[in-house]
Amino acid sequence: RPILQRRAAARLAAALLTPFIPELRQQPALAISATTMSGKTRPDTGCVLVSEPRVDRVGKAQVLNAELVTSDGYVATASFETPWFLQLGNYYDVEVRSKEGGDGAFLVSKTPPQGTSSSASWFSDNIFGISGRYGAYGAPQDVRVLRDERDRSVDGGRLLEYSFTALKGNAEVQRRAFVKAVSPPGSKDVVILVAGTTASRWKKENGEKTSRAVVDSLRVSSSKTNLKKD
């Protein structure tokens, strides 16, 4: 008799849950978003993913592809070439790093006040703030804009070059980075690719050349969606 009662209870629970199953299946973007991943506190990159990012081999190049939900009803498909390795786990949204960990790149997705024409300080605040990727041990110091190309930008985007001091435990690490920002067609959001390395590798070990090639390869397309970012 107890077995029959348990079976009846199971059938009742299934019947009650059935109307909600389609609704549950319509939330793939939120299932792995920046706000719902468990575990270690993660940086606020603003990225909400439709699916996990992947790296494909295209000829001799490695191309990272990621689909991001914007704040205004689009899926932005971002791709860029990378010599580095895709990082997996709850701490990362879309990021690649070298084996040694000093070189790398990551995506940020935000809604600026004036698209890619927003002030350099807006980009600085949203990339180098304490809640950003470099803020695990405190906000980066001495953040300086070394280059800001608006008129000559590629694909209607924006290119900036930065120097800054990142905190790592009790140490300070001098770093350099290129930042490229592109608006997905039709969207008010921007997809930002940050690529860089330590200051010591910037000139001596092709860090500047490699980082610039990575951001220059960024391509962003878009399509309408019913998925919501928040």
Side-chain angles (χ1 to χ4, degrees):
R1 190 173 294 176
I3 294 177
L4 293 177
Q5 290 175 348
R6 286 198 295 270
R7 289 177 176 173
R11 287 195 296 269
L12 177 60
L16 293 173
L17 183 60
T18 298
F20 300 100
I21 290 177
E23 181 178 350
L24 293 174
R25 289 176 177 171
Q26 293 174 4
Q27 303 178 18
L30 299 182
I32 58 172
S33 74
T35 58
T36 59
M37 293 287 273
S38 60
K40 182 180 178 181
T41 301
R42 58 196 289 132
D44 176 18
T45 65
C47 293
V48 173
L49 302 171
V50 177
S51 58
E52 292 186 0
R54 69 181 192 277
V55 173
D56 299 321
R57 176 70 67 175
V58 180
K60 295 182 179 180
Q62 289 189 136
V63 179
L64 185 144
N65 295 278
E67 293 181 308
L68 311 173
V69 181
T70 71
S71 64
D72 50 5
Y74 291 88
V75 168
T77 301
S79 65
F80 60 89
E81 295 183 14
T82 172
W84 305 312
F85 302 93
L86 180 63
Q87 302 298 295
L88 302 174
N90 290 349
Y91 187 70
Y92 304 99
D93 288 317
V94 185
E95 182 166 341
V96 289
R97 295 176 67 183
S98 64
K99 289 183 178 180
E100 299 78 13
D103 305 353
F106 60 92
L107 287 179
V108 175
S109 177
K110 299 282 186 176
T111 309
Q114 295 178 307
T116 58
S117 297
S118 298
S119 66
S121 62
W122 182 91
F123 285 97
S124 301
D125 291 344
N126 282 272
I127 295 170
F128 301 104
I130 193 169
S131 62
R133 179 63 185 86
Y134 296 113
Y137 298 94
Q141 305 297 310
D142 303 321
V143 178
R144 299 180 182 180
V145 179
L146 305 179
R147 181 185 311 190
D148 185 354
E149 295 183 2
R150 304 187 190 198
D151 298 333
R152 295 182 296 162
S153 57
V154 183
D155 297 335
R158 178 85 165 273
L159 178 70
L160 301 104
E161 180 183 347
Y162 283 93
S163 68
F164 60 99
T165 301
L167 305 178
K168 188 175 182 181
N170 295 324
E172 295 184 350
V173 182
Q174 307 297 319
R175 296 191 63 89
R176 297 282 294 271
F178 283 115
V179 170
K180 183 174 180 181
V182 176
S183 291
S187 175
K188 296 180 180 179
D189 288 8
V190 291
V191 174
I192 304 167
L193 178 59
V194 183
T197 185
T198 59
S200 61
R201 289 176 54 82
W202 191 250
K203 293 292 186 182
K204 294 180 180 180
E205 301 184 49
N206 288 325
E208 179 181 15
K209 181 179 179 180
T210 301
S211 299
R212 179 61 188 267
V214 170
V215 297
D216 281 348
S217 71
L218 177 64
R219 299 292 182 269
V220 179
S221 60
S222 65
S223 59
K224 292 292 291 183
T225 184
N226 292 322
L227 295 174
K228 302 297 182 182
K229 186 170 184 177
D230 297 318

